[in-house]
Amino acid sequence: MSRKSVIFVDAGFLLATGGLRVTGNSLRSAFSVQYKSLVDGIQEFVSERDSRDLLRMYWYDAAKDGLFSDEHKRIGLLPGVKVRLGRMSYNGEQKGVDLKLGLDLVGVARNRSADVAYLLSGDDDLAEAVEAAQDLGMKVVLLGIENQGHRLGVTAVAEHLALQVDDIATLPQTLLDRCFAKSAPVAELAAYAPASSETGATVSVSGNGAAHLPGTRPVPGPGVVPARPATAAPAAGYAAGSASEAAGSTAPAEPGAASAAATAAAAGPAGSSGRPVPTPGPRRLQPDVRPVPAAGVVRREPVYSTATGAPAAQSPWFDLVESAEAVAVSLADNWHGSVSQRELNELLAERPLLPPTIDRVLIKDCAAKIGEAKTDLQDIRKAIRAAFWRRLDELVQ
């Protein structure tokens, strides 16, 4: 067998872990990655630990129809990196990625191309492929992200997978801190204000870094939630609709309210803050109520002190819900800061349904925070979806 090592990277796992660390959620549009520094850091870590020559790094990800995106092309052009793509389903799930990784792991072991494999993943589905490679004489080392608070010492790794590998090596969290960052507006646009390739008009950049063309509403920079001026008012139709709904009546708003809101919008519309606003029209509000526990779950209400009237003990159920809702709020902040006006309008038009891609990220990130079994409770799922909509309402008002 050749005295070489090989690295297998589950990009979905790695990027989700880095995104959760820097933004609080795994929504890819919410963070940016310095891929060369990330790849170099992983390779350097392996070379310091292992004196064998590196055969190559395999990078597994998913894309629409399994076609290379510009991002995948940049990664594939890095020295010693081979990108292998699965497909992305309609609801944002990866298809065929684990199968490709498992087949390549066993194939390299069977061909004796390398005698040690470093696997950066946490997926339990790879345990059988690990065992098959070991039976062929290959040693498999799990690369995990350091997490001293976890009993395995690594982040988001299935216990069954950890039990099958020969050893576990922990990548330092500083590598993620160095290579991942919250998405930011394209600040360099302000320096030279290039002309639009389609219209020839000059692109301007507002104070918060949102680029836009004259006569159009600016789109916020990715990952940015612009602050709304205290004097800004919502669009007239939206304000009138909200007031009517809040009053529980279909009667129109008070005379002059719509015109005042329209005047404020004309003088300083939401575009001045770079924040997209919904198209005026009716809007269905979600009730702001605590979820009812599932059948068989006993809710313990807070115990109040007779001396002070303050809560003396907090229900574990509410702690669980609040932790889950914090994930939903973070996702709403990051999603709202990275979308266009059209995407916001499309989301609001489907209310109360969430697009499968957003719903999947919401449940996945919540599971990472409170545990997958708890996220399976329908009451928890209802709570995080309602929290997402409540936060989005706050951002667009």
Side-chain angles (χ1 to χ4, degrees):
M1 180 173 287
S2 174
R3 291 280 301 173
K4 289 186 178 180
S5 62
V6 61
I7 303 173
F8 296 92
V9 177
D10 180 349
F13 168 79
L14 176 58
L15 298 182
T17 303
L20 282 167
R21 180 169 176 79
V22 300
T23 69
N25 61 77
S26 59
L27 188 69
R28 288 206 184 182
S29 62
F31 58 87
S32 60
V33 185
Q34 298 180 30
Y35 286 105
K36 187 178 187 308
S37 297
L38 183 61
V39 168
D40 289 345
I42 297 172
Q43 292 178 343
E44 289 172 4
F45 177 84
V46 170
S47 64
E48 291 174 359
R49 190 180 190 277
D50 196 320
S51 60
R52 296 173 178 84
D53 292 334
L54 177 64
L55 175 65
R56 70 177 57 88
M57 172 189 285
Y58 288 90
W59 182 278
Y60 298 86
D61 203 358
K64 184 179 179 181
D65 299 326
L67 301 176
F68 276 67
S69 66
D70 291 341
E71 178 182 272
H72 293 133
K73 291 177 182 178
R74 288 194 295 270
I75 298 171
L77 290 174
L78 294 175
V81 179
K82 181 175 180 59
V83 175
R84 301 272 279 160
L85 295 181
R87 295 170 289 104
M88 186 71 74
S89 69
Y90 169 74
N91 63 354
E93 293 183 350
Q94 294 186 349
K95 298 295 184 181
V97 175
D98 292 339
L99 179 59
K100 285 179 179 290
L101 197 161
L103 289 174
D104 287 345
L105 175 61
V106 175
V108 170
R110 179 178 292 112
N111 295 330
R112 299 183 176 275
S113 302
D115 58 339
V116 177
Y118 290 86
L119 174 64
L120 206 171
S121 180
D123 199 331
D124 181 58
D125 292 340
L126 295 172
E128 285 72 22
V130 169
E131 287 185 299
Q134 289 169 330
D135 290 342
L136 292 169
M138 173 178 278
K139 182 179 179 180
V140 181
V141 178
L142 182 68
L143 283 179
I145 307 301
E146 180 185 21
N147 183 359
Q148 297 300 329
H150 194 279
R151 57 193 177 87
L152 295 176
V154 289
T155 298
V157 171
E159 183 176 24
H160 183 53
L161 177 63
L163 291 172
Q164 300 306 318
V165 297
D166 296 289
D167 195 6
I168 299 177
T170 56
L171 292 167
Q173 293 182 353
T174 53
L175 176 62
L176 300 186
D177 295 338
R178 188 169 70 247
C179 300
F180 286 78
K182 287 186 177 181
S183 293
V186 186
E188 58 266 24
L189 285 177
Y192 55 86
S196 166
S197 59
E198 296 182 1
T199 65
T202 300
V203 177
S204 60
V205 180
S206 57
N208 64 0
H212 61 282
L213 298 174
T216 65
R217 180 178 289 121
V219 177
V224 176
V225 182
R228 184 179 180 82
T231 57
Y238 185 88
S242 299
S244 299
E245 290 170 354
S249 169
T250 57
E254 294 183 6
S259 60
T263 302
S272 63
S273 68
R275 169 174 295 170
V277 297
T279 299
R283 181 169 58 90
R284 289 173 288 179
L285 295 176
Q286 295 294 309
D288 186 7
V289 296
R290 290 284 183 179
V292 179
V297 177
V298 179
R299 173 185 289 177
R300 296 190 335 192
E301 301 294 342
V303 179
Y304 291 88
S305 168
T306 56
T308 65
Q314 180 66 45
S315 164
W317 173 261
F318 287 136
D319 291 341
L320 189 65
V321 171
E322 288 173 357
S323 297
E325 288 178 341
V327 174
V329 169
S330 174
L331 179 61
D333 287 341
N334 285 283
W335 182 86
H336 178 263
S338 62
V339 299
S340 65
Q341 176 69 51
R342 177 183 59 80
E343 291 171 313
L344 176 62
N345 288 337
E346 288 176 351
L347 179 71
L348 294 174
E350 296 296 325
R351 186 175 183 145
L353 297 177
L354 286 173
T357 51
I358 295 179
D359 198 52
R360 181 175 177 274
V361 171
L362 188 63
I363 294 173
K364 177 182 176 182
D365 291 353
C366 185
K369 185 173 182 66
I370 69 174
E372 186 171 357
K374 297 182 179 68
T375 311
D376 287 340
L377 296 174
Q378 288 301 313
D379 297 323
I380 293 293
R381 295 195 174 195
K382 290 177 182 178
I384 58 179
R385 288 162 180 159
F388 180 92
W389 283 115
R390 285 198 302 270
R391 179 55 178 165
L392 196 61
D393 286 339
E394 295 172 0
L395 294 173
V396 300
Q397 286 178 356

